[in-house]
């Protein structure tokens, strides 16, 4: 399956809460060493060959080849890396220092010296100013809602000003891909241009592109010093099964897929070298429901479904216990999010209550005829759950839910498995009834609720497509509370807002939380070591995230 990276306008939504955002020099950034880059790694995804039909190296097109496969992460770089695991630290990258003002409405950036674009031109403060001005002046690029007010140079620094606090969206700002002004200033529509010449500050350039895959070669003049890996090969497989086989045989070295019984099917194939790591982040999987159409426009039906879903079965059968069972009625994963659960819900956990669910429906005017659920208007309740074919864990998840709803409530729950591109388009346009989907992640639960409750995304719709809140839930009270949390100047106000948000979530069920969603990754240590792990959580190991280049630069040849 594909895990949430929310590649919105080039800014990943791994927005973190209160971060230590002032840092200088090397820190966790690349360090120079002598010698030429050697060796190779193969990185792969299971999204099908269509991704390689057209070369799109534009980091602002989330469905293009570069962002889908993740190779753009090795070409274009952000100002800083934000870590959703470990200590939630921020590592300056193209910036040598980043500093927020007290209310997070202004960011001062010190560009790193000695950085060159891959065509030899110097990287400067002007490139940062240009990139953010381009986002500000092109609404289609600001789907992350940066809401820039002003971008200007101040001596050698760049000062970014925003129309609202960026407390909860620090990662969106810092992890924006910076592009070269000298090439992009002639791009007429940066939201659509494929950008065939991928010129970036990153450690790799494109050696070849074909329907068979993409090959990147290491730069010898990278600002971070010697690139540990000489060549990266990016491949696409039709589904998880094909990619798993490649991981098992060593045809692929680095990937991000769900593996059923990962220990038997991957780790034990080479227990000395094969590693599967699920980074525990604040992100549940949810059944997203279209709240604008029957049957999920009825809160009674949403509540009833929420009461009969078997989370334990989901964790065991759909997820192979790759992450812990989701237990809190707030949808907040535990134990990671224990501190954020409102006092009213600290002891409230999910349990299957079929009789209670039937009473909710009966009280709302539902009836049954020959075992089939009939809505108050007299129509049989029917809907379709959809997720992409080949995403084994998600498809198993919706199959489980469909069976549970049919057998307990009598609703006609169908399952559909379109191709990934169709599914993504269906979600964005609202052409669905229900789907199993990831949610936002960060160092606090704001993004979880923002993803499924914030009506602001409906106002930002472009061409009928939304970038979040796919269920199109719109509650003025929830909107106000999400904004209150995001703009609060003190922790007490944030806590108060979050507690009230949780109450709306539990009472109104805008989405149905079903399982935890660790950021999964597979890699081996046969050729290179230094990967992130449970014992060294400097980043997640997902090769599609902005931190992929950070991981790459931490690798060392195996001895």
């Amino acid at each position: 399956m594909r895990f949430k990276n929310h590649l919105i306008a080039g800014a990943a939504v791994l927005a973190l809460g209160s971060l230590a955002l002032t840092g200088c020099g090397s820190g966790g950034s690349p360090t120079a060493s002598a010698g030429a880059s050697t060796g190779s790694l193969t990185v792969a995804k299971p999204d099908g060959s269509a991704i390689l039909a057209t070369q799109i190296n534009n980091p602002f097109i989330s469905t293009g080849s570069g962002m889908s496969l993740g190779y753009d992460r090795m070409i274009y770089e952000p100002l800083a890396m934000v870590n959703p695991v470990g200590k939630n630290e921020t590592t300056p990258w193209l910036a040598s220092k980043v500093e927020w003002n007290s209310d997070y409405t202004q960011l001062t950036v010190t560009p790193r010296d000695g950085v060159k674009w891959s065509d030899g031109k110097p990287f400067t403060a002007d490139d940062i100013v240009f990139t953010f001005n381009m986002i500000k002046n092109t609404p289609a690029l600001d789907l992350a809602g940066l809401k820039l007010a002003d971008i200007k140079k101040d001596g050698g620094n760049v000062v970014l000003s925003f129309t609202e606090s960026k407390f909860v969206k620090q990662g969106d700002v810092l992890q924006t891909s910076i592009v070269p002004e000298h090439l992009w200033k002639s791009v007429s529509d940066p939201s659509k241009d494929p950008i065939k010449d991928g010129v970036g500050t990153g450690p790799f350039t494109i050696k070849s592109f074909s329907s068979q895959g993409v090959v990147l070669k290491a730069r010898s003049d990278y600002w971070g010093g010697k690139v540990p890996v000489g060549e990266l090969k990016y491949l696409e497989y039709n589904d998880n099964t094909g990619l798993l086989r490649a991981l098992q045989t060593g045809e692929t070295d680095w990937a991000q897929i769900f593996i059923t019984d990962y220990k038997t099917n991957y780790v034990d194939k080479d227990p000395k070298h094969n590693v599967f790591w699920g980074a525990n982040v604040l992100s549940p999987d949810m059944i997203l429901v279209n709240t604008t159409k029957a049957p999920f426009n009825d809160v009674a039906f949403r509540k009833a479904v929420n009461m009969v879903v078997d989370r334990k079965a989901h964790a065991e059968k759909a997820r192979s216990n790759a992450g812990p069972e989701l237990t809190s009625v707030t949808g907040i994963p535990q134990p990671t999010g224990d501190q954020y659960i409102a006092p009213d819900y600290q002891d409230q956990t999910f349990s299957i209550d079929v009789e209670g669910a039937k009473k909710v429906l009966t009280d709302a005017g539902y009836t049954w005829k020959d075992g089939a659920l009939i809505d108050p208007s007299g129509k049989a309740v029917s809907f379709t759950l959809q997720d992409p074919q080949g995403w084994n864990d998600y498809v198993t998840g919706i199959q489980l839910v469909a069976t549970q709803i049919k057998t307990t409530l009598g609703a006609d729950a169908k399952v559909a498995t379109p191709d990934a591109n169709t599914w993504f388009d269906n979600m964005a346009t609202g052409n669905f009834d229900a789907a199993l989907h990831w949610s936002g992640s960060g160092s606090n639960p704001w993004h979880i609720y923002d993803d499924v409750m914030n009506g602001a995304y409906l106002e930002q719709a472009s061409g009928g497509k939304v970038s979040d809140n796919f269920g199109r839930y719109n509650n003025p009270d929830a909107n106000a509370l999400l904004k209150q949390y995001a703009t609060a100047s003190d922790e007490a106000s944030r806590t108060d807002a979050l507690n009230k948000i949780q109450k709306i979530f539990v009472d109104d069920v805008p989405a149905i939380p079903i399982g935890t969603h660790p950021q999964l990754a597979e890699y081996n240590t046969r050729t290179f070591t230094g990967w992130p792990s449970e014992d060294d959580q400097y980043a997640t190991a997902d090769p599609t995230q902005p931190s992929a280049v950070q991981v790459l630069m931490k690798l060392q040849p195996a001895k």
Side-chain angles (χ1 to χ4, degrees), residues 172-203:
D172 293 273
V173 178
L174 295 172
Q175 295 186 149
T176 297
S177 295
I178 306 301
V179 297
E181 179 186 17
H182 66 281
L183 296 176
W184 281 64
K185 63 184 179 182
S186 60
V187 174
S188 59
D189 188 347
S191 69
K192 296 180 180 179
D193 194 304
I195 308 297
K196 290 297 178 66
D197 295 321
V199 173
T201 57

Side-chain angles (χ1 to χ4, degrees), residues 328-364:
S328 173
V329 296
T330 64
I332 296 175
Q334 295 174 285
T336 311
D338 281 345
Q339 62 179 308
Y340 297 106
I341 296 175
D344 289 348
Y345 302 116
Q346 286 180 357
D347 298 321
Q348 292 197 33
T349 58
F350 287 117
S351 62
I352 298 174
D353 184 5
V354 177
E355 291 308 311
K358 288 183 175 179
K359 185 179 186 307
V360 168
L361 292 173
T362 300
D363 290 347

Side-chain angles (χ1 to χ4, degrees), residues 219-462:
R219 291 175 57 180
S220 59
D221 61 345
Y222 180 54
W223 63 268
K226 176 188 172 184
V227 183
V229 182
E231 191 170 83
L232 291 177
K233 301 175 183 178
Y234 286 82
L235 305 177
E236 271 288 1
Y237 292 84
N238 287 331
D239 51 31
N240 282 8
T241 301
L243 179 47
L244 173 58
R245 190 178 300 114
L247 284 165
Q248 292 170 333
T249 61
E251 182 179 286
T252 288
D253 301 300
W254 190 7
Q256 171 251 61
I257 60 166
F258 169 79
I259 300 175
T260 302
D261 191 1
Y262 62 84
K263 187 175 186 302
T264 300
N265 290 321
Y266 176 61
V267 176
D268 289 350
K269 299 299 181 183
D270 185 355
K272 183 178 179 181
H273 299 107
N274 287 354
V275 179
F276 174 98
W277 182 41
N280 192 16
V281 297
L282 276 175
S283 176
D285 278 335
M286 299 198 198
I287 297 292
L288 299 191
V289 296
N290 193 329
T291 63
T292 68
K293 57 186 292 191
F296 291 106
N297 60 346
D298 185 356
V299 66
F301 186 70
R302 300 199 298 266
K303 285 183 176 181
V305 171
N306 196 36
M307 294 168 73
V308 300
V309 171
D310 189 341
R311 275 90 182 173
K312 183 176 179 62
H314 181 80
E316 293 177 350
K317 297 178 181 180
R319 302 287 291 162
S320 293
N321 291 316
E325 179 184 344
L326 188 68
T327 56
S328 173
V329 296
T330 64
I332 296 175
Q334 295 174 285
T336 311
D338 281 345
Q339 62 179 308
Y340 297 106
I341 296 175
D344 289 348
Y345 302 116
Q346 286 180 357
D347 298 321
Q348 292 197 33
T349 58
F350 287 117
S351 62
I352 298 174
D353 184 5
V354 177
E355 291 308 311
K358 288 183 175 179
K359 185 179 186 307
V360 168
L361 292 173
T362 300
D363 290 347
Y366 288 77
T367 57
W368 283 264
K369 181 178 180 179
D370 299 327
L373 182 63
I374 308 299
D375 71 19
S377 72
K379 295 181 180 178
V381 176
S382 176
F383 66 92
T384 299
L385 287 147
Q386 62 173 270
D387 274 282
Q389 57 187 348
W391 291 14
N392 301 345
D393 52 340
Y394 273 18
V395 172
T396 300
I398 60 176
Q399 289 171 338
L400 285 170
V401 170
T403 300
Q404 291 158 6
I405 295 172
K406 285 179 183 178
T407 57
T408 58
L409 301 181
D412 181 19
K414 303 179 181 69
V415 168
T417 56
D419 64 82
N421 287 340
T422 298
W423 183 77
F424 278 115
D425 190 67
N426 288 345
M427 299 303 295
T429 59
N431 184 27
F432 74 102
D433 298 323
L436 183 54
H437 200 285
W438 52 84
S439 64
S441 67
S443 63
N444 62 66
W446 183 87
H447 269 293
I448 295 174
Y449 301 117
D450 174 69
D451 267 12
V452 296
M453 298 173 69
N454 199 339
Y457 289 108
L458 308 183
E459 299 174 4
Q460 298 166 9
S462 176

